[in-house]
Every structure is written in structure tokens, then in C-alpha cells.
Amino acid sequence: MLLETGPFLIPLLFLLCFGGLAWVIGHSMRDASEQYASVYMTETARELENLFLFIPPQRLMVIARLTAIGSFAVVALMTTDFNSPGGMIRGLFLGALAAFGMLMLPRAVVRRLRQKRLLAFNTQLVDALVAMSNALRAGFSIQQAFESIVKEGKKPIGQEFSVFLQQMRIGVRFEDALRNLEERVGSEDLTLMVRAIEIARQTGGNLTETFDRIAETIRERTRIEGRIRALTAMGRLQGIVVGLIPIFLLVVLTLMDPKMMMSFYGSTTGVMLLCLMVLLEAIGFYVIKKIVNIRV
């Protein structure tokens, strides 16, 4: 009896081992996915609240996952060659790359919106400092000076100052509300204003002159940053051109000789070279960005 079951015993044991290993890997991936989803929704909800965009983060995550699955399916089916292992690896790799890009797209969009909002806030802060300085000269309190900016209705600075005033109305201390405003906005120019207000409240300094100096400092820094962007525009353009040349050559060669390029895409060496190209492109983009991104 044992001899009869012997030929099936070893495959059965292998099946049980691989099944257990697959279950452990699947369980670990599910836990990691749930943890990532929790962190993603928490961070995204905070970012959207700071942007005054009241969109459920669960909806964004569902859209990102569905888009990633659709992108993986479309790209994989279009690029996979089922007649060779290399072609299958190529399709799976390109599909996974497209899916990863779709998963990261919502965060990139939120980050871009935050950058645009921060730039608009810093631009409006100069005029707000001058207006607050004039309000203080007219005999207004610092809280009334903030209210005068909110009444103008400019976004986003009016929204942020409105939240600051609402926190004070519900009992938050002035200093704590200022720190919350500073953390929420994340502006270096706003940090200068907050520190000036804190020092003036502790030492009794002249806030009107301080606000005028800060406004002039921000104007000068904005002018210098604009000058730097103009001087580094050529470097940024060179980085974009150099980064697009390999992609352009791949497209041109594929259109000129599809048979040769499909053989290249379907080979293991070709897939490895494509991975290396993507890695070098990312490194080059990062290095050029660090070179041209000069902080003032």
C-alpha cells in the first residue's frame, strides 16, 4: 500500500509546502496592503483638508486601484508575446510599471496642487503683511488685522487665516493657533511672520515696522528666486531633453524596424537593459533636479 502511494507522496508534500508558502505570502501581502491603505488614506485626508478639498480619500484610492488594474491589463496585453518567456516578462514588467504609475498619480496630483497653493499663499502674504501693518497703525489689534485679511476673501490666504480665527474663537490659545497655522501651511515666509509676532508679544516690539521689513525681505527673495529660475531654465530644459532622448530613440527604432525591436523587447537582455535605462533615467533626473534647485 505504501509503495502504491509512494509516487504520489512526494508531489503531495511539495504541493502542501508550496500551498502553505503561497498562503503565508498572500496573507503578508494582504496585511501590508491594508496597512498601506490605512496610512495612504490618513495622509491623503490630511493633505486634502489642508487644500480645502473635501474629497473622500477612499474614493481616490478606489479610483487609483481600478485605474492601475486597467492600465496593467491594457499594457500587458498590448506588449506581451505569449510565444516566448522574455515576451511574457516584458509584458508583465511594462504592465506593472504602468500600474505603479497610476497608483502614484493621485499623490503626485495632490503634491502639485499643494505646491501651487503654497506659491499663491506666499505671493498673497506680501500684500497681507502690508495691509496688516496699515491696520495696526490705524489702531487695530492683531486679531482685527487678521480679520481684515479674511474679509478681503482672497484664497488661499483668507481660508487659512479664517481657520486660525475660528480656532481662537473656540478657545485655542493665540500662540497655539499660530503654530497650527504654521504647520498647516508649511511656508517659510509665514514662519518669519509667526516668529515676529511671538517675539513682539513677548518683548513688546513694533509689529508694524517688523511686518514692513518681512514684506520687503519676501519681495527681495522672490525677485532673487525668479532670477535664479531664469538662469537655470537652460539646465532644466537640457535635463528634459536628455531624459527624453532615449525614449524618443526607442519609439523611432520601433517604428523603423518593429521586428528587430520586438526581438529586443522579448529577450532577457533587452528587458534588463530597459530596466537599467529606467534606473539611470531616474538617477539622472534626480541629480539634475538637485543641481538646478537652488534654495534662497
Side-chain angles (χ1 to χ4, degrees):
M1 190 69 178
L2 182 61
L3 293 175
E4 293 178 358
T5 58
F8 301 99
L9 184 59
I10 294 178
L12 181 62
L13 291 176
F14 272 104
L15 180 62
L16 290 175
C17 291
F18 280 112
L21 181 61
W23 182 85
V24 171
I25 294 175
H27 187 71
S28 301
M29 291 183 65
R30 187 188 66 182
D31 292 341
S33 176
E34 291 177 354
Q35 185 177 3
Y36 171 78
S38 177
V39 174
Y40 175 85
M41 286 189 292
T42 302
E43 293 180 353
T44 305
R46 185 172 60 250
E47 291 288 341
L48 292 174
E49 288 177 0
N50 292 339
L51 293 172
F52 289 80
L53 296 175
F54 303 102
I55 304 173
Q58 295 87 350
R59 185 177 300 174
L60 285 180
M61 189 160 191
V62 169
I63 293 174
R65 285 181 172 178
L66 292 177
T67 307
I69 294 173
S71 300
F72 175 81
V74 171
V75 174
L77 289 175
M78 290 180 60
T79 58
T80 299
D81 183 8
F82 295 97
N83 297 323
S84 64
M88 296 181 66
I89 294 175
R90 176 196 66 203
L92 293 176
F93 170 75
L94 294 177
L97 193 63
F100 179 76
M102 289 298 103
L103 283 176
M104 294 295 106
L105 184 61
R107 279 195 171 185
V109 172
V110 171
R111 192 180 304 114
R112 179 59 180 169
L113 291 175
R114 181 170 178 79
Q115 291 175 353
K116 291 181 65 176
R117 182 180 178 86
L118 181 60
L119 180 61
F121 182 91
N122 290 334
T123 303
Q124 295 173 3
L125 185 60
V126 178
D127 297 331
L129 285 170
V130 175
M132 291 173 68
S133 176
N134 295 332
L136 292 175
R137 285 193 181 93
F140 288 11
S141 65
I142 184 64
Q143 184 173 347
Q144 290 173 331
F146 277 103
E147 290 176 352
S148 65
I149 302 301
V150 174
K151 289 178 181 177
E152 293 181 3
K154 292 183 179 180
K155 298 179 181 181
I157 193 168
Q159 294 174 326
E160 299 293 350
F161 284 4
S162 177
V163 174
F164 164 76
L165 293 173
Q166 289 175 6
Q167 290 181 353
M168 289 185 59
R169 293 190 187 104
I170 62 176
V172 179
R173 294 175 59 247
F174 183 84
E175 291 79 6
D176 294 336
L178 270 181
R179 293 192 186 96
N180 294 337
L181 174 65
E182 179 185 357
E183 293 176 1
R184 188 171 60 252
V185 177
S187 169
E188 296 179 356
D189 298 337
L190 180 63
T191 300
L192 289 176
M193 188 190 81
V194 170
R195 296 293 176 269
I197 294 174
E198 290 178 348
I199 294 173
R201 285 174 65 87
Q202 293 174 3
T203 61
N206 190 348
L207 266 180
T208 57
E209 296 180 359
T210 304
F211 282 171
D212 290 337
R213 293 196 195 99
I214 293 175
E216 185 61 31
T217 301
I218 296 174
R219 284 197 193 96
E220 185 64 19
R221 185 162 67 179
T222 302
R223 186 188 67 81
I224 295 174
E225 287 177 349
R227 179 66 174 168
I228 290 174
R229 282 196 298 269
L231 293 175
T232 58
M234 184 61 69
R236 290 197 300 272
L237 181 60
Q238 289 175 350
I240 295 173
V241 171
V242 170
L244 291 178
I245 283 177
I247 301 174
F248 176 76
L249 289 176
L250 278 177
V251 174
V252 171
L253 290 175
T254 302
L255 294 176
M256 291 177 62
D257 196 343
K259 186 176 180 180
M260 179 190 71
M261 294 306 296
M262 286 303 169
S263 301
F264 172 75
Y265 295 146
S267 63
T268 305
T269 305
V271 174
M272 293 177 62
L273 289 175
L274 287 175
C275 295
L276 181 61
M277 183 195 75
V278 172
L279 178 62
L280 293 177
E281 285 275 340
I283 294 174
F285 176 78
Y286 178 78
V287 171
I288 292 175
K289 182 179 179 182
K290 285 295 182 181
I291 292 174
V292 300
N293 188 16
I294 302 173
R295 294 178 62 87
V296 180

